[in-house]
mmCIF file of all heavy atoms in Angstrom:
data_model
loop_
_atom_site.group_PDB
_atom_site.id
_atom_site.type_symbol
_atom_site.label_atom_id
_atom_site.label_comp_id
_atom_site.label_asym_id
_atom_site.label_seq_id
_atom_site.Cartn_x
_atom_site.Cartn_y
_atom_site.Cartn_z
ATOM 1 N N HIS E 34 13.451 -48.012 7.270
ATOM 2 C CA HIS E 34 12.498 -48.445 8.311
ATOM 3 C C HIS E 34 11.076 -47.954 7.945
ATOM 4 O O HIS E 34 10.889 -46.952 7.257
ATOM 5 C CB HIS E 34 12.947 -47.879 9.690
ATOM 6 C CG HIS E 34 14.275 -48.293 10.110
ATOM 7 N ND1 HIS E 34 14.498 -49.531 10.508
ATOM 8 C CD2 HIS E 34 15.436 -47.658 10.135
ATOM 9 C CE1 HIS E 34 15.847 -49.685 10.822
ATOM 10 N NE2 HIS E 34 16.398 -48.520 10.578
ATOM 11 N N GLU E 35 10.110 -48.686 8.474
ATOM 12 C CA GLU E 35 8.662 -48.308 8.196
ATOM 13 C C GLU E 35 8.279 -47.338 9.341
ATOM 14 O O GLU E 35 7.911 -47.701 10.430
ATOM 15 C CB GLU E 35 7.768 -49.572 8.257
ATOM 16 C CG GLU E 35 6.308 -49.294 8.031
ATOM 17 C CD GLU E 35 5.433 -50.462 8.343
ATOM 18 O OE1 GLU E 35 5.818 -51.610 7.957
ATOM 19 O OE2 GLU E 35 4.339 -50.220 8.946
ATOM 20 N N VAL E 36 8.419 -46.021 9.029
ATOM 21 C CA VAL E 36 8.210 -44.990 10.014
ATOM 22 C C VAL E 36 6.794 -44.496 9.930
ATOM 23 O O VAL E 36 6.285 -44.150 8.901
ATOM 24 C CB VAL E 36 9.213 -43.838 9.794
ATOM 25 C CG1 VAL E 36 9.025 -42.702 10.809
ATOM 26 C CG2 VAL E 36 10.687 -44.329 9.850
ATOM 27 N N HIS E 37 6.161 -44.400 11.126
ATOM 28 C CA HIS E 37 4.844 -43.779 11.227
ATOM 29 C C HIS E 37 4.989 -42.576 12.235
ATOM 30 O O HIS E 37 5.565 -42.748 13.291
ATOM 31 C CB HIS E 37 3.844 -44.721 11.827
ATOM 32 C CG HIS E 37 3.525 -45.905 10.919
ATOM 33 N ND1 HIS E 37 2.434 -46.001 10.143
ATOM 34 C CD2 HIS E 37 4.234 -47.044 10.716
ATOM 35 C CE1 HIS E 37 2.435 -47.145 9.474
ATOM 36 N NE2 HIS E 37 3.513 -47.793 9.849
ATOM 37 N N VAL E 38 4.489 -41.432 11.839
ATOM 38 C CA VAL E 38 4.466 -40.298 12.735
ATOM 39 C C VAL E 38 3.034 -40.068 13.199
ATOM 40 O O VAL E 38 2.092 -40.104 12.442
ATOM 41 C CB VAL E 38 5.024 -39.022 12.053
ATOM 42 C CG1 VAL E 38 4.177 -38.560 10.902
ATOM 43 C CG2 VAL E 38 5.126 -37.898 13.115
ATOM 44 N N ALA E 39 2.918 -39.905 14.587
ATOM 45 C CA ALA E 39 1.553 -39.744 15.150
ATOM 46 C C ALA E 39 1.539 -38.375 15.855
ATOM 47 O O ALA E 39 2.261 -38.184 16.849
ATOM 48 C CB ALA E 39 1.233 -40.873 16.128
ATOM 49 N N TYR E 40 0.757 -37.473 15.337
ATOM 50 C CA TYR E 40 0.603 -36.168 15.992
ATOM 51 C C TYR E 40 -0.484 -36.250 17.034
ATOM 52 O O TYR E 40 -1.628 -36.442 16.785
ATOM 53 C CB TYR E 40 0.233 -35.075 14.933
ATOM 54 C CG TYR E 40 1.372 -34.952 13.889
ATOM 55 C CD1 TYR E 40 1.207 -35.569 12.643
ATOM 56 C CD2 TYR E 40 2.558 -34.369 14.182
ATOM 57 C CE1 TYR E 40 2.225 -35.505 11.706
ATOM 58 C CE2 TYR E 40 3.603 -34.232 13.241
ATOM 59 C CZ TYR E 40 3.414 -34.838 11.994
ATOM 60 O OH TYR E 40 4.441 -34.788 11.062
ATOM 61 N N GLN E 41 -0.067 -36.130 18.309
ATOM 62 C CA GLN E 41 -0.926 -36.464 19.387
ATOM 63 C C GLN E 41 -2.051 -35.398 19.641
ATOM 64 O O GLN E 41 -3.115 -35.762 20.016
ATOM 65 C CB GLN E 41 -0.109 -36.611 20.709
ATOM 66 C CG GLN E 41 0.793 -37.829 20.640
ATOM 67 C CD GLN E 41 1.719 -37.912 21.847
ATOM 68 O OE1 GLN E 41 2.793 -37.305 21.832
ATOM 69 N NE2 GLN E 41 1.303 -38.660 22.876
ATOM 70 N N THR E 42 -1.692 -34.113 19.413
ATOM 71 C CA THR E 42 -2.714 -33.122 19.595
ATOM 72 C C THR E 42 -2.888 -32.299 18.347
ATOM 73 O O THR E 42 -1.962 -32.272 17.467
ATOM 74 C CB THR E 42 -2.354 -32.154 20.797
ATOM 75 O OG1 THR E 42 -1.215 -31.337 20.366
ATOM 76 C CG2 THR E 42 -1.984 -32.981 22.031
ATOM 77 N N SER E 43 -3.952 -31.564 18.268
ATOM 78 C CA SER E 43 -4.254 -30.757 17.044
ATOM 79 C C SER E 43 -3.396 -29.493 17.013
ATOM 80 O O SER E 43 -3.120 -28.958 15.930
ATOM 81 C CB SER E 43 -5.713 -30.331 17.012
ATOM 82 O OG SER E 43 -6.023 -29.448 18.106
ATOM 83 N N GLY E 44 -2.944 -28.970 18.130
ATOM 84 C CA GLY E 44 -2.152 -27.715 18.161
ATOM 85 C C GLY E 44 -3.024 -26.524 17.735
ATOM 86 O O GLY E 44 -2.431 -25.493 17.392
ATOM 87 N N ASN E 45 -4.340 -26.652 17.781
ATOM 88 C CA ASN E 45 -5.193 -25.587 17.147
ATOM 89 C C ASN E 45 -5.192 -24.277 17.964
ATOM 90 O O ASN E 45 -5.644 -23.286 17.443
ATOM 91 C CB ASN E 45 -6.638 -26.122 16.983
ATOM 92 C CG ASN E 45 -7.250 -26.653 18.252
ATOM 93 O OD1 ASN E 45 -6.840 -26.341 19.394
ATOM 94 N ND2 ASN E 45 -8.289 -27.458 18.146
ATOM 95 N N ILE E 46 -4.769 -24.262 19.235
ATOM 96 C CA ILE E 46 -4.789 -23.002 19.938
ATOM 97 C C ILE E 46 -3.512 -22.155 19.578
ATOM 98 O O ILE E 46 -3.456 -20.984 19.929
ATOM 99 C CB ILE E 46 -4.876 -23.162 21.465
ATOM 100 C CG1 ILE E 46 -3.553 -23.840 21.984
ATOM 101 C CG2 ILE E 46 -6.113 -23.915 21.869
ATOM 102 C CD1 ILE E 46 -3.490 -23.764 23.475
ATOM 103 N N ALA E 47 -2.563 -22.761 18.923
ATOM 104 C CA ALA E 47 -1.301 -22.098 18.641
ATOM 105 C C ALA E 47 -1.260 -21.593 17.203
ATOM 106 O O ALA E 47 -0.263 -21.694 16.493
ATOM 107 C CB ALA E 47 -0.098 -23.055 18.829
ATOM 108 N N VAL E 48 -2.371 -21.014 16.763
ATOM 109 C CA VAL E 48 -2.439 -20.393 15.417
ATOM 110 C C VAL E 48 -3.020 -18.985 15.600
ATOM 111 O O VAL E 48 -4.022 -18.787 16.315
ATOM 112 C CB VAL E 48 -3.354 -21.192 14.467
ATOM 113 C CG1 VAL E 48 -3.492 -20.486 13.144
ATOM 114 C CG2 VAL E 48 -2.776 -22.565 14.239
ATOM 115 N N HIS E 49 -2.354 -17.978 15.037
ATOM 116 C CA HIS E 49 -2.818 -16.633 15.147
ATOM 117 C C HIS E 49 -4.203 -16.438 14.458
ATOM 118 O O HIS E 49 -4.430 -17.122 13.430
ATOM 119 C CB HIS E 49 -1.836 -15.682 14.530
ATOM 120 C CG HIS E 49 -0.582 -15.488 15.371
ATOM 121 N ND1 HIS E 49 -0.533 -14.902 16.621
ATOM 122 C CD2 HIS E 49 0.755 -15.873 15.091
ATOM 123 C CE1 HIS E 49 0.714 -14.906 17.047
ATOM 124 N NE2 HIS E 49 1.471 -15.523 16.160
ATOM 125 N N ASP E 50 -5.026 -15.569 14.959
ATOM 126 C CA ASP E 50 -6.326 -15.315 14.362
ATOM 127 C C ASP E 50 -6.161 -14.869 12.876
ATOM 128 O O ASP E 50 -6.935 -15.197 12.009
ATOM 129 C CB ASP E 50 -7.095 -14.290 15.135
ATOM 130 C CG ASP E 50 -7.534 -14.814 16.502
ATOM 131 O OD1 ASP E 50 -7.534 -16.025 16.663
ATOM 132 O OD2 ASP E 50 -7.995 -13.988 17.354
ATOM 133 N N TYR E 51 -5.092 -14.015 12.661
ATOM 134 C CA TYR E 51 -4.929 -13.523 11.273
ATOM 135 C C TYR E 51 -4.625 -14.673 10.262
ATOM 136 O O TYR E 51 -4.961 -14.582 9.071
ATOM 137 C CB TYR E 51 -3.937 -12.392 11.245
ATOM 138 C CG TYR E 51 -2.562 -12.682 11.763
ATOM 139 C CD1 TYR E 51 -1.640 -13.509 11.026
ATOM 140 C CD2 TYR E 51 -2.170 -12.156 12.951
ATOM 141 C CE1 TYR E 51 -0.371 -13.758 11.500
ATOM 142 C CE2 TYR E 51 -0.854 -12.412 13.430
ATOM 143 C CZ TYR E 51 -0.013 -13.167 12.729
ATOM 144 O OH TYR E 51 1.244 -13.480 13.243
ATOM 145 N N ASP E 52 -3.932 -15.701 10.784
ATOM 146 C CA ASP E 52 -3.689 -16.845 9.857
ATOM 147 C C ASP E 52 -4.950 -17.583 9.559
ATOM 148 O O ASP E 52 -5.187 -18.021 8.438
ATOM 149 C CB ASP E 52 -2.692 -17.818 10.530
ATOM 150 C CG ASP E 52 -1.236 -17.350 10.387
ATOM 151 O OD1 ASP E 52 -0.935 -16.775 9.306
ATOM 152 O OD2 ASP E 52 -0.438 -17.662 11.240
ATOM 153 N N ALA E 53 -5.803 -17.708 10.600
ATOM 154 C CA ALA E 53 -7.112 -18.391 10.358
ATOM 155 C C ALA E 53 -7.924 -17.619 9.338
ATOM 156 O O ALA E 53 -8.544 -18.168 8.462
ATOM 157 C CB ALA E 53 -7.820 -18.569 11.628
ATOM 158 N N LEU E 54 -7.980 -16.268 9.550
ATOM 159 C CA LEU E 54 -8.736 -15.436 8.614
ATOM 160 C C LEU E 54 -8.166 -15.560 7.169
ATOM 161 O O LEU E 54 -8.947 -15.576 6.210
ATOM 162 C CB LEU E 54 -8.706 -13.965 9.089
ATOM 163 C CG LEU E 54 -9.473 -12.988 8.259
ATOM 164 C CD1 LEU E 54 -10.960 -13.335 8.201
ATOM 165 C CD2 LEU E 54 -9.304 -11.590 8.848
ATOM 166 N N ARG E 55 -6.852 -15.591 7.066
ATOM 167 C CA ARG E 55 -6.268 -15.724 5.725
ATOM 168 C C ARG E 55 -6.697 -16.974 5.023
ATOM 169 O O ARG E 55 -6.948 -16.976 3.795
ATOM 170 C CB ARG E 55 -4.754 -15.673 5.889
ATOM 171 C CG ARG E 55 -3.951 -15.690 4.635
ATOM 172 C CD ARG E 55 -2.548 -15.175 4.874
ATOM 173 N NE ARG E 55 -1.811 -15.943 5.917
ATOM 174 C CZ ARG E 55 -1.091 -17.058 5.605
ATOM 175 N NH1 ARG E 55 -1.017 -17.473 4.399
ATOM 176 N NH2 ARG E 55 -0.497 -17.685 6.606
ATOM 177 N N PHE E 56 -6.767 -18.064 5.784
ATOM 178 C CA PHE E 56 -7.231 -19.343 5.177
ATOM 179 C C PHE E 56 -8.708 -19.386 4.872
ATOM 180 O O PHE E 56 -9.127 -19.922 3.853
ATOM 181 C CB PHE E 56 -6.833 -20.511 6.064
ATOM 182 C CG PHE E 56 -5.397 -21.003 5.838
ATOM 183 C CD1 PHE E 56 -4.328 -20.310 6.403
ATOM 184 C CD2 PHE E 56 -5.193 -22.101 5.078
ATOM 185 C CE1 PHE E 56 -3.050 -20.775 6.152
ATOM 186 C CE2 PHE E 56 -3.853 -22.537 4.824
ATOM 187 C CZ PHE E 56 -2.816 -21.830 5.339
ATOM 188 N N ILE E 57 -9.498 -18.697 5.682
ATOM 189 C CA ILE E 57 -10.944 -18.582 5.422
ATOM 190 C C ILE E 57 -11.144 -17.823 4.078
ATOM 191 O O ILE E 57 -11.886 -18.227 3.243
ATOM 192 C CB ILE E 57 -11.672 -17.882 6.569
ATOM 193 C CG1 ILE E 57 -11.672 -18.776 7.770
ATOM 194 C CG2 ILE E 57 -13.077 -17.487 6.129
ATOM 195 C CD1 ILE E 57 -12.148 -18.089 9.066
ATOM 196 N N GLU E 58 -10.348 -16.732 3.934
ATOM 197 C CA GLU E 58 -10.490 -15.886 2.681
ATOM 198 C C GLU E 58 -10.014 -16.724 1.491
ATOM 199 O O GLU E 58 -10.632 -16.633 0.403
ATOM 200 C CB GLU E 58 -9.631 -14.643 2.855
ATOM 201 C CG GLU E 58 -10.223 -13.653 3.879
ATOM 202 C CD GLU E 58 -9.299 -12.520 4.211
ATOM 203 O OE1 GLU E 58 -8.096 -12.657 3.911
ATOM 204 O OE2 GLU E 58 -9.756 -11.526 4.773
#
């Protein structure tokens, strides 16, 4: 089947600050 997945929201509030800092680094 021709499957499309659509992520409705960004989910950006559900990320720990330390994970964000790790990616910035």
Side-chain angles (χ1 to χ4, degrees):
H34 301 287
E35 182 190 318
V36 179
H37 295 259
V38 61
Y40 299 102
Q41 293 173 275
T42 72
S43 66
N45 56 19
I46 65 166
V48 176
H49 290 292
D50 291 345
Y51 56 74
D52 277 327
L54 181 60
R55 182 160 58 91
F56 274 80
I57 291 170
E58 291 171 344

